[in-house]
Amino acid sequence: MAENILKSAMNNRSVSQILKSYYRVLKLARKPARDEFLMISKVAGAGIIVIGIVGFVVYILLTELPTWV
């Protein structure tokens, strides 16, 4: 589905128009401040740790629970 949309967009627009739109997005992008970067890193790290803990708990339950039953 996404490939069909992309192909139809490519057919309707020239390569220069597509490159101009990419350039416009790059011009709007900015480098994050140090505080912003640190906050994003902390949140991403906390998410990774939480997902790891949940996975470990599920692993322990699936391996140890059958021996108790």
Side-chain angles (χ1 to χ4, degrees), residues 3-32:
E3 293 173 357
N4 293 337
I5 294 171
L6 183 60
K7 286 179 183 178
S8 66
M10 292 286 281
N11 291 338
N12 294 337
R13 295 170 45 185
S14 68
V15 174
S16 64
Q17 287 176 334
I18 294 171
L19 291 177
K20 283 180 186 178
S21 67
Y22 291 161
Y23 181 70
R24 185 174 58 240
V25 170
L26 287 176
K27 279 182 15 181
L28 291 174
R30 64 174 177 81
K31 183 178 177 182

Side-chain angles (χ1 to χ4, degrees), residues 29-42:
R30 64 174 177 81
K31 183 178 177 182
R34 183 172 179 84
D35 294 336
E36 186 180 7
F37 178 76
L38 289 175
M39 181 60 69
I40 292 170
S41 299
K42 288 176 188 176

